[in-house]
C-alpha cells in the first residue's frame, strides 16, 4: 500500500472529511488537523474530534472510520460539513456529495482519495499537558478533543 502526499499540507490545505458509522447511520465532519505516519509497524492516521461533536459519538461507537480528501471545487461543501451539525441538518445527503460504502464505513463518490481506517487507539487531549498559548487559542472554555489513531487498512482512489 503506497500513498505519497505532502504530509504537512494535506490536512491544512486540502481539508478532509472524517466519516464514522455504517451505511445505515453515519456522520461526517470537516477536519483540518491530523497526521499520517506509522505506529506499531502499521500505517496510521490521527484525527482529532471535539467531544461535543456529533461525529464523536460515531467514532466511539464504531470500529472503522474514513478520512477522505476532495478536489478544490468541493471546498464550499466541506465548509458546510465543518460548520453545521448532523444533529440539525441531513449533511449526509447534502447536494453535491454521494455517499457510498467504504469497507466497514462510508465515504463519498466525489472523494479523490479515501483512507479506510480501523480504530486502534483513543485518548483525551489533556490541557494540563499543552502550552498555555495553545490552550488560550483553541480551548479557552471550549470542549476538549479526543485523539483517534486508526490503522489504514485500505486506500480508495
Amino acid at each position: 500500500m503506497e500513498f505519497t502526499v505532502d504530509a504537512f499540507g494535506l490536512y491544512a490545505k486540502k481539508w478532509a472529511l472524517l466519516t464514522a458509522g455504517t451505511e445505515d447511520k453515519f456522520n461526517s465532519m470537516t477536519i483540518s488537523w491530523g497526521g499520517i505516519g506509522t505506529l506499531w509497524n502499521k500505517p496510521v492516521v490521527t484525527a482529532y474530534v471535539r467531544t461535543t461533536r456529533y461525529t464523536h459519538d460515531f467514532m466511539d461507537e464504531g470500529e472503522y472510520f474514513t478520512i477522505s480528501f476532495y478536489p478544490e471545487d468541493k471546498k464550499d461543501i466541506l465548509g458546510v460539513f465543518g460548520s453545521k451539525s448532523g444533529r440539525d441538518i441531513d449533511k449526509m445527503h447534502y447536494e453535491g456529495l454521494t455517499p457510498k460504502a467504504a469497507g466497514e464505513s462510508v465515504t463519498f463518490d466525489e472523494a479523490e482519495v479515501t483512507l479506510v481506517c480501523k480504530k486502534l487507539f483513543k485518548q483525551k487531549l489533556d490541557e494540563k499537558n499543552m502550552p498555555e498559548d495553545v490552550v488560550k487559542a483553541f480551548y479557552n472554555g471550549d470542549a476538549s478533543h479526543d485523539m483517534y489513531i486508526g490503522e489504514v487498512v485500505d486506500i480508495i482512489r
Side-chain angles (χ1 to χ4, degrees):
M1 188 167 33
E2 187 172 316
F3 186 52
T4 305
V5 297
D6 169 9
F8 295 115
L10 184 63
Y11 286 88
K13 293 176 187 169
K14 294 223 27 120
W15 296 356
L17 286 181
L18 170 68
T19 303
T22 64
E23 275 189 281
D24 296 330
K25 187 174 181 187
F26 64 96
N27 197 67
S28 300
M29 62 179 265
T30 303
I31 58 174
S32 61
W33 295 0
I36 297 174
T38 55
L39 178 67
W40 304 319
N41 298 324
K42 299 172 188 274
V44 298
V45 295
T46 57
Y48 304 89
V49 182
R50 282 198 197 271
T51 56
T52 54
R53 296 295 299 257
Y54 187 48
T55 305
H56 187 272
D57 296 340
F58 289 87
M59 289 293 287
D60 280 354
E61 291 168 11
E63 187 177 358
Y64 290 86
F65 62 93
T66 62
I67 295 178
S68 50
F69 300 92
Y70 295 82
E72 189 69 29
D73 67 348
K74 299 297 179 195
K75 272 261 179 146
D76 288 347
I77 294 170
L78 270 61
V80 170
F81 275 64
S83 62
K84 304 290 183 191
S85 174
R87 289 183 186 107
D88 302 326
I89 68 167
D90 183 9
K91 294 189 303 186
M92 301 316 97
H93 298 94
Y94 194 79
E95 185 176 325
L97 292 182
T98 311
K100 70 176 184 178
E104 301 290 320
S105 192
V106 179
T107 189
F108 297 89
D109 278 334
E110 295 76 13
E112 292 178 322
V113 67
T114 297
L115 306 177
V116 180
C117 307
K118 182 177 182 183
K119 190 169 53 176
L120 294 175
F121 182 79
K122 172 193 168 186
Q123 183 171 10
K124 183 179 197 69
L125 296 184
D126 189 343
E127 291 180 23
K128 293 181 284 188
N129 296 326
M130 297 176 198
E132 189 176 318
D133 63 318
V134 170
V135 173
K136 285 181 181 177
F138 296 100
Y139 296 100
N140 207 10
D142 285 338
S144 63
H145 284 89
D146 283 342
M147 175 183 67
Y148 295 88
I149 299 175
E151 177 184 4
V152 178
V153 295
D154 195 12
I155 300 173
I156 301 169
R157 297 169 203 245

